[in-house]
Structure formats: C-alpha cells, structure tokens
Amino acid sequence: MMITALKEKKETKTFISNTKFEVADIFSEYGEAFIGKHPLPLSSIKVMKAIMACRTEFIGGHLQQCDDCGHEMIVFNSCRDRHCPKCQTGARARWLEKRSAELLPLTYFHLVFTLPHELNPIALCNKEVICKLLFQAVSKTLLQFGKNNLDGKVGFIAVLHTWDQKLLDHFHLHCLIPGGALSFDSTTWIHANNNYLFNVKALAKVYRGKFMDYLNKAFQQDKLNFPGKTQPFGTQDGFTELTNQVWQKKWVVYAKPSLPGPKPVLAYLAGYVHRVAISNHRIIQVEKGMVTFVYKDRNDNNSLKEMTITSDEFIRRFLIHIMPKDFMRIRYYGFLANRAKKKDLPICRELLKVKAPKPTTQQKTTVELLMEVIGVDVTKCPRCKKGTMKMITEIPSLKKHFSLSDVFHLSPITDTS
C-alpha cells in the first residue's frame, strides 16, 4: 500500500527537476541489459544503483504540507553520490561558502593542463595511479615556476576532470591561481602581472618532463596494469615506443582569461567544482535504445550541437568517469594547502592589507545556500507560491522491502521500440 501511494505521487519528483530525461532513466531502462553484456566492477554498479534510487521511494523521504493552502507533496531523499547529476548543487554551495573565506583581492588565473590522448588507454586502466601522477606533475610544475619566476610560494586549487563535452575520455586539471606569491620568509607579498602569470609553452615543457618521469618510475616499479588492448604497452619495448611517441607530442597548457576580484572568481568556480560528466538538462531524447544529448563544439566557436549514440555507448562513456572511492578530485597547494593555509592565509591578508572575513556564528542551512547559488526558495509552495512547505511526516526507506536488483525497475522510461 505504501509503494502504491508513493508511485501515485511520483510526479512530485518534477518539482525538484523539470528535466524530461535523466541519466537515472537511461540506467533504469538499459542498465540491467548493459551489466548482463559487460562485466563491471562493483563500484560502478553501486554508482548506477545510487543514481537510479536518488529521490525515489527506495531511499525514503518526507511528506510536506503548505502552511497556507494545505497542498501536500512528497520529497524523496537524495543519494548524495558524487557522480549523481542531481546531488551536486548542495555540495557545490557548501564548498563555495568555505572557499569564499579564502579569497584574496587579486587577479586570478585559470590554467588547464591536459594529458595527450595517446595516454588515455593506460589512464582508463590505471585511473588512480595516472590521476595522482597528473596532480603531482602539475603541482610541482606550478610551485617550481612560482619559486623561479616570483621568488615565492604560490597557492592554487586544482580540479580534475576526465571528460570532454562528448563524454569521451579527456584527462585534464583546471587550476585557479591568485596572481602573486608569498615570499619564502613570509615577510613580503610578490605581485604578479595582472595580465600574465607564466609562459604556457614553458609550463607545458616542464609539465611534460615531470609527468613522463613519474610515469616511467611507475612503470619500472610495476604500479601499472596493462589489460586487454593495452597489453602491448606492458612490455619494455612497447612502453618505450609509446613514451617516445608521447614525448614528441606538443603538450597543451591553456590559459583562460584572468579573473578580476573575488566575486567573479566565486561565480567562475561554481561552474567547475562538483561537476559530473553530464548534467540531466543536456539529455534531450531517449528512444529506441538511442540517447541524444547536447554538447558544445570547441572547434566551432562553442556552438551547441546534438549527438546521438546508443544507450550502451552512453552508459559506457558515463561509467569511465567514475573515480575510485575516496579519490580527491579537488586539491589545494602552496599557501592554500590544507596544512599551510591556517598559518599562511592570515599572513597574506596582512601583507595585502585586507581584513579577514568575519567568522560565521552559525552555519547556513542547505536551503539558504541553495537560495544564494540558484536563486530559488525550495521551501515555497509550488501551487500557491505564497506558503512555506513544512515537513509533516517522514517516509521510511523501502530498502528492506526491495532487493538491490529491484532498483532497476523503480522508474523506467517507456521505450517505443
């Protein structure tokens, strides 16, 4: 009876997301068949099930009632998985609130470090190792340039993305760097040029050298796996041939336009942190085993185009971007490193003659943060637009009554094939 009541009110899910098609729908309709044809690690299956169960009766929720017109609606709980397209707004808002206290009144620079696509097959089979090497090579490069060019310690945030607009594998780091450095004796702030930080061609050469050195060491220490099609690279000759080919490639470090001041930086950061491979609003059609989504064509002035692929290919592309458990996609370095900023940030503010932000006496609620980020009061009644929705009862999770395989059948879309 509870299941029937919940399914009758399932249209209330659209209050949270007005998207017609979702990644969860694709998993629900085609995921079980995909798993039957393709062996997957348990971690990928868990992510699929979390996304399908998100904001459904499977993980429970609560019944709300408007205190003005009496309208009732069910709001189901979120899965909070970091790969879920519906669960990132709150996490992003919390992250931005913390980072706002660390911003300095400076020009910020955005640098993007990419891996050559020739390394993608190895990276996909050794995701944790290769991504760690990527963070290591980029951080060492930027810290070295800060030392050599500014004679001080720079600070920066690095965010890992593994995808491009077509959901294909594209490993790269976005780095946001305040324009300047703290002297090594912590007595002086060294300003960078507002329009120029470091030479990107020089950065690319040093970054390439560091990454390839780390990659060779990982190979010699047997830290890399070479299954399937990557097996030829597992021999010394095959690996040497690959690395020689990669050495001859032009490695890319891209400098995006600089950002003046803290407010533009915060708005800019919101577009890069806690992002997943594809958001639901980009999916425009799911029909007859095919998925159509919108992407930006970087080679055509970022014009919006449509791409249609099979549901199997869509699921495959989405799953290759699942990160290992506990792997940190956002990291901090220099005077912004977690171990250093408690000491270094107050010194930076003192040298820049800016006051520290007032400590917040009370942590903002999720509702308040969402209001700031998306400009929508999620507590307002969707019917009368006046009253406030109040929780009147909790709805228990149905996990006890469902096996995990039943999640695949919670909310499938209708296939007309």
Side-chain angles (χ1 to χ4, degrees):
M1 192 168 179
M2 172 67 78
I3 296 174
T4 304
L6 288 172
K7 288 189 175 179
E8 285 175 354
K9 292 197 175 186
K10 195 129 187 205
E11 68 273 5
T12 58
K13 180 179 171 185
T14 59
F15 173 64
I16 303 203
S17 172
N18 293 319
T19 305
K20 184 179 179 181
F21 299 105
E22 298 181 356
V23 171
D25 296 322
I26 299 167
F27 286 169
S28 296
E29 185 72 7
Y30 305 111
E32 197 167 22
F34 183 88
I35 291 174
K37 292 184 289 185
H38 308 282
L40 293 177
L42 182 60
S43 57
S44 295
I45 296 174
K46 284 183 176 179
V47 170
M48 291 178 71
K49 289 177 176 177
I51 292 174
M52 287 184 288
C54 186
R55 299 180 189 177
T56 69
E57 58 267 37
F58 186 76
I59 51 179
H62 51 274
L63 180 65
Q64 293 183 341
Q65 185 179 59
C66 176
D67 59 8
D68 186 59
C69 71
H71 172 64
E72 291 186 358
M73 61 180 284
I74 291 175
V75 176
F76 294 118
N77 294 330
S78 301
C79 68
R80 298 186 180 182
D81 190 281
R82 62 175 173 168
H83 303 95
C84 178
K86 292 184 288 191
C87 288
Q88 305 313 307
T89 305
R92 185 184 300 119
R94 289 281 180 206
W95 187 87
L96 288 175
E97 183 188 29
K98 292 180 180 179
R99 300 289 82 77
S100 64
E102 300 171 4
L103 291 173
L104 298 172
L106 298 165
T107 296
Y108 277 69
F109 296 88
H110 181 187
L111 298 176
V112 184
F113 293 77
T114 65
L115 274 186
H117 284 189
E118 286 80 2
L119 292 173
N120 285 2
I122 294 178
L124 290 173
C125 298
N126 301 273
K127 202 176 295 179
E128 185 168 5
V129 174
I130 295 299
C131 290
K132 281 183 178 178
L133 299 185
L134 178 58
F135 273 110
Q136 188 177 359
V138 170
S139 62
K140 295 293 186 183
T141 298
L142 286 174
L143 290 171
Q144 178 179 316
F145 270 72
K147 177 181 179 181
N148 295 342
N149 293 34
L150 296 173
D151 197 24
K153 179 167 62 174
V154 295
F156 54 97
I157 301 168
V159 182
L160 172 69
H161 286 183
T162 62
W163 57 83
D164 64 11
Q165 281 280 306
K166 296 179 182 178
L167 273 181
L168 295 170
D169 37 323
H170 177 54
F171 291 81
H172 58 286
L173 281 189
H174 294 270
C175 298
L176 200 68
I177 314 165
L182 179 65
S183 64
F184 292 113
D185 61 4
S186 298
T187 62
T188 309
W189 177 263
I190 303 108
H191 286 275
N193 188 307
N194 285 339
N195 299 314
Y196 177 86
L197 185 62
F198 303 130
N199 183 290
V200 291
K201 292 183 179 180
L203 280 171
K205 289 180 180 179
V206 174
Y207 157 55
R208 177 182 62 182
K210 290 184 181 297
F211 183 88
M212 294 305 294
D213 180 51
Y214 297 145
L215 183 65
N216 276 303
K217 288 178 180 177
F219 178 80
Q220 299 301 330
Q221 295 168 4
D222 292 326
K223 292 182 178 180
L224 300 174
N225 296 312
F226 299 92
K229 294 181 180 180
T230 65
Q231 192 172 1
F233 302 135
T235 66
Q236 183 64 62
D237 289 343
F239 186 78
T240 300
E241 183 179 350
L242 173 65
T243 53
N244 287 341
Q245 180 185 0
V246 174
W247 262 108
Q248 295 170 12
K249 288 278 295 183
K250 181 181 178 182
W251 288 46
V252 178
V253 177
Y254 176 65
K256 294 201 172 188
S258 56
L259 299 157
K263 288 186 178 180
V265 170
L266 270 182
Y268 195 75
L269 276 175
Y272 284 92
V273 299
H274 295 286
R275 182 184 281 186
V276 297
I278 189 169
S279 53
N280 285 326
H281 75 268
R282 287 176 55 197
I283 303 171
I284 58 177
Q285 186 61 261
V286 181
E287 187 178 35
K288 298 180 181 179
M290 306 299 288
V291 180
T292 301
F293 60 92
V294 175
Y295 72 97
K296 287 182 181 178
D297 190 343
R298 306 294 188 192
N299 297 320
D300 189 14
N301 296 319
N302 285 331
S303 58
L304 291 178
K305 297 182 179 180
E306 295 180 7
M307 170 171 281
T308 301
I309 56 178
T310 65
S311 58
D312 268 22
E313 178 61 10
F314 180 90
I315 294 173
R316 185 197 73 82
R317 291 188 189 187
F318 187 94
L319 295 183
I320 64 175
H321 304 297
I322 293 176
M323 296 306 298
K325 184 180 179 182
D326 299 327
F327 187 89
M328 304 301 295
R329 288 182 54 245
I330 307 171
R331 304 190 183 191
Y332 312 88
Y333 298 95
F335 62 75
L336 290 177
N338 291 327
R339 293 183 179 181
K341 62 186 175 185
K342 188 174 182 181
K343 174 187 174 184
D344 288 347
L345 268 178
I347 296 173
C348 291
R349 292 193 191 99
E350 183 180 352
L351 294 172
L352 291 167
K353 298 180 181 179
V354 293
K355 294 181 179 180
K358 294 181 180 179
T360 53
T361 55
Q362 189 174 1
Q363 191 178 42
K364 292 180 181 178
T365 65
T366 300
V367 170
E368 291 171 334
L369 289 170
L370 289 175
M371 183 66 184
E372 290 181 4
V373 173
I374 63 177
V376 176
D377 185 354
V378 295
T379 66
K380 284 298 178 185
C381 175
R383 176 176 289 177
C384 70
K385 311 293 183 183
K386 296 179 182 179
T388 300
M389 302 302 295
K390 303 285 188 180
M391 185 181 76
I392 57 175
T393 186
E394 288 192 14
I395 298 171
S397 165
L398 295 180
K399 286 182 181 180
K400 294 181 180 179
H401 308 289
F402 276 89
S403 67
L404 283 177
S405 61
D406 290 321
V407 182
F408 282 102
H409 309 292
L410 280 176
S411 55
I413 59 175
T414 301
D415 193 334
T416 57
S417 57

